[in-house]
Amino acid sequence: MEQSKLTVDVIESLNLPPYPDLSDLVAGVEKRYGKSLVFEEGTVDSLGEGVTGHWIDTPTHGIVRYLHGAKAWSVHVVLHELSHILLGHKGKPLDGLIAGSFFSSIGKRHGVSWMCRAVDVPLDEAEAAAENLAFGLAQVLHATPAKEATKAERVFGL
């Protein structure tokens, strides 16, 4: 996936160490966000059908909920939610009708949840930007230092 300029700029702004791990990334996001983050495993009941993760913004901290799955998949879901934070999208409020799932049974089909969502940009645009950034963050996390070739690798041209 080709990284957008926005993705590159956001990653550079985090001032991460050369080969960061997930805790380095979370610390960078918390610094930009200005609040600590709590990570919770969610369920289909708590997240909603078809939802794999969400971020809840509270006055004192942020909550990132994710649906349990294979480790790589769960990490990607978390990176996607961290991307929403980094991109300045609005988190789902802790209180009110949305958090109470008031519209959960009718929202998807009739557009009510879209109208009442807490994201400040068009949904498709917000999700595409968050996904692009999540992939960029994954690339940063999986980067490894170049290692010197062993004698056998040099002999065989590997």
Side-chain angles (χ1 to χ4, degrees):
M1 172 177 260
E2 186 176 329
Q3 291 183 3
S4 69
K5 179 170 176 10
L6 177 61
T7 290
V8 172
D9 291 347
V10 169
I11 292 171
E12 286 179 4
S13 76
L14 292 173
N15 297 315
L16 296 170
Y19 301 101
D21 59 19
L22 188 56
S23 62
D24 295 322
L25 178 60
V26 169
V29 173
E30 287 176 328
K31 185 174 180 181
R32 284 260 316 259
Y33 181 43
K35 300 177 191 179
S36 64
L37 292 168
V38 175
F39 297 87
E40 298 177 352
E41 188 174 304
T43 64
V44 173
D45 290 336
S46 68
L47 293 171
E49 189 176 331
V51 178
T52 58
H54 68 222
W55 155 48
I56 301 169
D57 187 24
T58 77
T60 59
H61 64 284
I63 303 168
V64 175
R65 288 199 179 126
Y66 60 94
L67 196 58
H68 178 72
K71 181 181 177 184
W73 181 77
S74 294
V75 168
H76 183 76
V77 170
V78 167
L79 293 177
H80 181 91
E81 297 309 318
L82 294 177
S83 295
H84 282 300
I85 294 169
L86 290 169
L87 293 169
H89 300 159
K90 293 181 180 176
K92 187 175 185 180
L94 185 60
D95 55 0
L97 299 176
I98 298 171
S101 298
F102 184 78
F103 295 113
S104 64
S105 63
I106 59 170
K108 289 180 178 61
R109 192 170 52 196
H110 299 292
V112 174
S113 62
W114 185 88
M115 291 184 297
C116 296
R117 77 194 195 290
V119 177
D120 57 343
V121 295
L123 185 59
D124 290 345
E125 183 181 323
E127 291 303 318
E131 196 62 13
N132 192 285
L133 182 52
F135 274 101
L137 293 171
Q139 286 179 324
V140 168
L141 290 179
H142 297 306
T144 56
K147 64 176 190 158
E148 187 176 319
T150 65
K151 184 176 179 182
E153 289 172 326
R154 286 191 302 273
V155 168
F156 292 104
L158 301 174

